[in-house]
């Protein structure tokens, strides 16, 4: 009978430089800090169905097809809204509502400031959950907030806006579509 082949002894082990090993999880380990938001944006942009739809339905000259323009907007907003300090995840906001990519960065910043004036409870995390609020007319947001306060009381409305900002977005959508009345969403 044939003997089992003997394996050659292992050669000297190579030591890996741990500082050069990237994470297999988020894809941004080892990426310079100033590029992390852009890399995160492209990961989300490529995997989000409504971003793909915006891209495929866009014309040749569309901003959606202009990578340098999109990256410059992501970078500009990420400089203003650092995720760690503001709670606002710029890449996630822009990919949840790709229409915001068509706006100048300064216009997005102005809208965030307007919404914070109307609803100070809207922190960065809340806006990341409900970025559609940025697309709403600020007057409609103010009116919907006022209606929520009337229906639920000021404290409960504040708490709801803070922890469940999608409720404010729903109220805005109902208000702007003239469905608001005492029976429309109070409950």
């Amino acid at each position: 009978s044939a003997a089992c082949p003997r394996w050659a002894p292992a050669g000297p082990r190579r030591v890996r430089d741990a500082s050069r090993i990237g994470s297999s999880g988020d894809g941004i380990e080892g990426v310079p800090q100033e590029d992390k938001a852009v890399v995160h944006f492209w990961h989300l942009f490529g995997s989000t169905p409504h971003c793909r739809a915006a891209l495929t339905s866009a014309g040749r000259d569309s901003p959606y097809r202009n990578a340098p323009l999109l990256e410059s907007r992501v970078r500009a907003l990420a400089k203003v809204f650092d995720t760690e300090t503001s709670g606002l995840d710029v890449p996630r906001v822009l990919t949840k509502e790709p229409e915001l990519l068509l706006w100048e960065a300064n216009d997005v910043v102005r809208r965030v400031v307007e919404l914070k004036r109307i609803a100070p409870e809207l922190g960065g995390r809340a806006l990341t959950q409900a970025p559609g609020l940025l697309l709403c007319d600020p007057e409609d947001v103010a009116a919907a907030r006022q209606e929520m306060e009337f229906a639920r009381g000021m404290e409960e409305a504040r708490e709801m806006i803070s922890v469940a900002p999608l409720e404010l977005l729903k109220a805005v959508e109902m208000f702007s579509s003239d469905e608001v009345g005492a029976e429309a969403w109070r409950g």
Side-chain angles (χ1 to χ4, degrees):
S1 78
C4 291
R6 297 230 178 235
W7 299 102
R13 297 189 125 221
R14 286 188 295 169
V15 178
R16 288 183 150 185
D17 179 2
S19 68
R20 296 180 59 207
I21 298 172
S23 164
S24 61
D26 62 10
I28 61 172
E29 279 299 317
V31 172
Q33 187 62 37
E34 63 273 8
D35 294 335
K36 286 187 178 191
V38 173
V39 171
H40 184 50
F41 167 77
W42 286 120
H43 281 234
L44 294 171
F45 191 81
S47 63
T48 306
H50 48 275
C51 287
R52 281 196 308 272
L55 181 63
T56 57
S57 66
R60 211 175 271 201
D61 296 332
S62 167
Y64 292 124
R65 295 185 178 272
N66 185 337
L69 174 67
L70 297 181
E71 288 184 12
S72 72
R73 289 183 176 164
V74 171
R75 284 181 201 283
L77 289 169
K79 283 181 184 174
V80 175
F81 302 110
D82 174 61
T83 305
E84 296 297 317
T85 56
S86 73
L88 186 76
D89 184 338
V90 170
R92 194 163 304 281
V93 166
L94 295 175
T95 54
K96 279 184 172 181
E97 293 295 346
E99 185 180 330
L100 291 169
L101 290 165
L102 303 177
W103 292 22
E104 294 293 329
N106 287 338
D107 294 332
V108 176
V109 172
R110 273 191 218 94
R111 185 57 59 88
V112 169
V113 170
E114 278 183 285
L115 289 177
K116 286 291 288 177
R117 184 183 49 75
I118 293 165
E121 309 79 20
L122 282 175
R125 283 180 175 66
L127 281 174
T128 299
Q129 288 176 30
L133 286 166
L134 294 166
L135 298 172
C136 297
D137 183 322
E139 290 180 10
D140 289 345
V141 175
R145 181 207 169 89
Q146 191 172 25
E147 188 65 28
M148 285 179 81
E149 287 178 353
F150 179 76
R152 302 179 187 273
M154 189 174 291
E155 286 306 311
E156 189 178 330
R158 283 182 181 164
E159 178 70 15
M160 182 169 292
I161 290 168
S162 175
V163 299
L166 288 172
E167 291 300 314
L168 178 59
L169 182 58
K170 288 179 198 172
V172 171
E173 289 168 352
M174 283 189 244
F175 184 84
S176 62
S177 66
D178 288 333
E179 293 178 25
V180 170
E183 310 73 40
W185 58 277
R186 295 178 190 170

